[in-house]
Structures are given as structure tokens and as C-alpha cells.
Amino acid sequence: MSQTESHLRSAFDDAFRQMGGDRARIRRELGAIEVKFYPYAGLHHTIRVRAGRVFVRISDLFRAAPPEVTRALAFLLVARLLSRKPPRVYERLYRSYAFSPEVLRASDLARRERGRKVISTAVGRVYDLNRVFLRVNRRHFDGEIDKPILTWSQRKTRRILGHHDAAHDTITISKTLDSSDVPEWFVEYIMFHEMLHIKYPARIINGRRYYHTPAFRAEEKTYPRYEQAQEWLDRVIRTRRELRARAA
Ligand SMILES: [Zn+2]
């Protein structure tokens, strides 16, 4: 059991102790609580009791969550199991993390990718991500970034053009960009951004997780075509909006 999973288990012990109330019978029967991370499609957690044992599955998108957030989640799940109202403070803590932009992005992507094969291929129709990575690494990082797993996304996601998953050491690039309509330098820029996430791991400040730290942003702006890349980002996102308007 990882340190996180044993921390989680003690959080569940506490939650049952504090919220068990007249449901003491359940508490007594809790000889074993099994807590595991699970690669659900999207942000999803489950708790159930079978033969006196409690089985908890936590979305693996929460693997990197700060301890106070996983503790809050334990209280919310136990409250759900016991049909009790969870303390407000835990709801707030949970939401502030679960609805943070990076977790939302990751859960969007997981929803799209999972249930299928997560890793498809690095070699696209037009661009080979292995070559893109090598070029960007040589040009902007002195070749010092260790190569993660590289893959094109299964679907043409427009809102999420790239994603770095630290837990799985994977960079996923949206298949939308594997097109001769998209200039090579823009694919390189998206790769550059995701590689910066490897160079600048998320930092926790006052209990909040920051992915785009000031150092990250400062280096991102040194990209030679940074301004042009922002225009391209707008263009790709605008196209998505137009598509949606047409569908509506
Ligand atoms: Zn980012």
C-alpha cells in the first residue's frame, strides 16, 4: 500500500469514528477498509459495504491531491454511505480541488480517452511526436528532459490540445493537430508547453496546487513564436465555438 493509500485509510477511519453516530454497528464491523485508486473515466469515486468490509475506489486523478483534500473526500464518501450531511468545510475543500482547471482538464481528457486504449501511437498521419519531442528538447531544453510516453489522443479534442500526466509520465497531444493545416511550429509549441510541466513540477502553496508557476510562465514566454502561438490557440478554440454554434 502506498503512503497515500495508508493516509487515506486513516482518514476513512476518522470519518467513520466522527460520523458513525448511531450507526455504531457499521463502525464495529469495519474490520477492514480497502482503499484503492482506480482509473475511472472522469472524476468519480465509489464506496460500498460488502460482508462488513468497506470498499473504496478513488479516482486516480486524485493521486496527487493534497492530504487535506483526500481527507475531505473521505468524509464526503462516508457521509454518502451513512446518508448524513457532510461538514461544509469538507465540501468546500473538495470542490476547490476537484474544480481546479488542471483537474477539470485531466478529468475531461480521462473521460474521452478511457474505456479505450489510453496510449495509441506517437506516429501520426502527418507528425511524429517522437521527432517533435527530440527537436523541442534539443532546441529549448539542451536535451535534458527525459522522454515520457508520447501519444496522440484518440479523438480530436479541441479544448484540450495537450496534457501532461505526471502520475503516468505521459504527454498526450490532441489529434486535431495531426493535420497538414496545422503548422509544425505550433505542434512544437504545444509540446514545449507540456514539456515545461516536466521541467516545472506542480508546486503546493498554501494548500493549493499550482501548475503554471511564475517560473513556468516566464519561460513559456521565451518561446520564439509565443505571440503567434497565442493567436493560433484562439483560432483553434474559435473554430470549436463555431462548430458548437452550428450544432446547437
Ligand atoms: Zn499547462
Side-chain angles (χ1 to χ4, degrees), residues 11-229:
F12 276 91
D13 283 337
D14 289 352
F16 274 107
R17 239 193 319 275
Q18 287 183 36
M19 290 198 293
D22 55 346
R23 304 289 293 272
R25 190 179 52 80
I26 291 180
R27 278 184 315 177
R28 269 202 311 279
E29 286 173 357
L30 297 178
I33 303 176
E34 190 192 286
V35 183
K36 277 189 177 160
F37 287 105
Y38 192 84
Y40 284 115
L43 199 55
H44 183 66
H45 325 280
T46 59
I47 185 167
R48 63 203 170 89
V49 176
R50 288 277 157 82
R53 292 188 67 193
V54 180
F55 296 89
V56 181
R57 299 282 180 273
I58 308 276
S59 163
D60 68 347
L61 299 172
F62 263 53
R63 210 180 268 280
E68 68 273 17
V69 171
T70 48
R71 186 179 163 79
L73 174 58
F75 275 77
L76 296 185
L77 287 175
V78 170
R80 191 203 288 172
L81 183 72
L82 301 178
S83 306
R84 284 174 176 273
K85 213 172 153 43
R88 271 263 172 81
V89 57
Y90 292 131
E91 275 181 347
R92 267 202 305 275
L93 262 170
Y94 175 81
R95 269 195 231 123
S96 70
Y97 183 76
F99 297 153
S100 64
E102 289 286 335
V103 173
L104 281 179
R105 265 162 44 103
S107 77
D108 273 2
L109 201 74
R111 201 173 296 128
R112 287 190 170 89
E113 296 300 316
R114 285 174 177 170
R116 301 150 177 266
K117 207 165 43 150
V118 176
I119 311 302
S120 60
T121 175
V123 183
R125 275 188 325 119
V126 180
Y127 298 118
D128 178 349
L129 293 178
N130 295 305
R131 295 184 51 182
V132 173
F133 175 88
L134 285 176
R135 212 160 32 233
V136 176
N137 203 14
R138 200 174 50 230
R139 234 180 259 161
H140 301 285
F141 298 98
D142 293 325
E144 281 178 1
I145 303 287
D146 288 333
K147 191 171 150 187
I149 298 164
L150 300 169
T151 183
W152 289 105
S153 67
Q154 299 264 316
R155 292 198 196 169
K156 293 192 170 184
T157 56
R158 280 188 180 278
R159 192 156 72 89
I160 306 149
L161 298 182
H163 176 65
H164 170 243
D165 179 343
H168 297 103
D169 189 31
T170 301
I171 287 178
T172 305
I173 305 290
S174 171
K175 211 158 91 181
T176 311
L177 303 185
D178 186 25
S179 157
S180 49
D181 296 338
V182 177
E184 191 165 36
W185 66 263
F186 185 66
V187 182
E188 290 179 2
Y189 167 77
I190 298 296
M191 180 69 80
F192 173 72
H193 178 100
E194 301 312 326
M195 288 167 75
L196 284 176
H197 280 301
I198 299 176
K199 181 170 177 180
Y200 298 100
R203 289 183 58 199
I204 298 172
I205 302 164
N206 295 329
R208 271 207 57 190
R209 191 165 289 261
Y210 289 87
Y211 288 88
H212 302 115
T213 58
F216 179 111
R217 288 297 188 201
E219 183 158 348
E220 188 181 27
K221 287 196 177 119
T222 66
Y223 194 79
R225 300 215 202 198
Y226 179 77
E227 296 300 333
Q228 215 178 334

